[in-house]
Amino acid sequence: MIKIRVPASSANVGPGFDSLGFAINLYNEFIIEKINDGIETNIIDRTAGQSSILSEEDNLFYHSLKRIYGRAGRNIDGLKLTEIINIPLARGLGSSASAVIAGLVAGYYLMGNIFSEEEIIDLAIDIEGHPD
């Protein structure tokens, strides 16, 4: 099992808009567990007080994990992905960025650290669309 905590963030700081940011003491948590086969996803949205299911392609955590696996020429299989959402969506607190980073970091560890930090950052920028 791998557990990843990613803080909320703001990159809308004065003259450093979209380039200078800071972490906030609020975290999304991502748990990855091995299962026999397939992919299971579970999202517990504590900001809305409910569990939900997103399609795999609409799930940024899954999408980012799939991208890094694809970069390595591998397919994802045999994983249960649980997301515990504490960062409100669409409020400028980096909820989507937390999912992207968690997916890339999970893939990095699951595949044995085969990418450099620069490659991970480049993938994150490509997925998120901006470097902050």
Side-chain angles (χ1 to χ4, degrees), residues 27-59:
Y27 299 85
N28 282 345
E29 297 178 15
F30 303 85
I31 302 165
I32 304 94
E33 300 171 272
K34 297 264 185 178
I35 59 174
N36 288 332
D37 63 350
I39 299 292
E40 293 179 22
T41 59
N42 183 32
I43 299 172
I44 302 164
D45 186 346
R46 290 187 176 157
T47 67
Q50 62 189 25
S51 291
S52 60
I53 297 174
L54 287 174
S55 72
E56 291 171 351
E57 293 306 318
D58 288 336
N59 182 321

Side-chain angles (χ1 to χ4, degrees), residues 94-112:
S95 184
S96 65
S98 76
V100 170
I101 292 301
L104 295 176
V105 168
Y108 174 80
Y109 284 109
L110 289 168
M111 292 188 293

Side-chain angles (χ1 to χ4, degrees), residues 1-131:
M1 177 176 75
I2 298 171
K3 185 174 181 180
I4 300 168
R5 284 180 64 201
V6 183
S9 60
S10 178
N12 298 324
V13 182
F17 182 79
D18 278 352
S19 63
L20 177 66
F22 57 90
I24 298 169
N25 193 21
L26 181 64
Y27 299 85
N28 282 345
E29 297 178 15
F30 303 85
I31 302 165
I32 304 94
E33 300 171 272
K34 297 264 185 178
I35 59 174
N36 288 332
D37 63 350
I39 299 292
E40 293 179 22
T41 59
N42 183 32
I43 299 172
I44 302 164
D45 186 346
R46 290 187 176 157
T47 67
Q50 62 189 25
S51 291
S52 60
I53 297 174
L54 287 174
S55 72
E56 291 171 351
E57 293 306 318
D58 288 336
N59 182 321
L60 269 176
F61 175 57
Y62 172 79
H63 175 72
S64 300
L65 184 60
K66 184 177 176 182
R67 283 283 297 272
I68 195 167
Y69 265 75
R71 177 70 61 94
R74 299 182 188 180
N75 292 317
I76 301 174
D77 189 41
L79 296 177
K80 178 181 177 183
L81 310 173
T82 301
E83 301 172 54
I84 302 169
I85 306 302
N86 295 300
I87 303 170
L89 302 173
R91 297 291 183 261
L93 294 173
S95 184
S96 65
S98 76
V100 170
I101 292 301
L104 295 176
V105 168
Y108 174 80
Y109 284 109
L110 289 168
M111 292 188 293
N113 311 333
I114 62 174
F115 294 102
S116 70
E117 184 176 314
E118 184 176 317
E119 289 172 305
I120 300 293
I121 291 169
D122 288 344
L123 266 172
I125 292 168
D126 187 48
I127 294 167
E128 188 69 7
H130 45 86

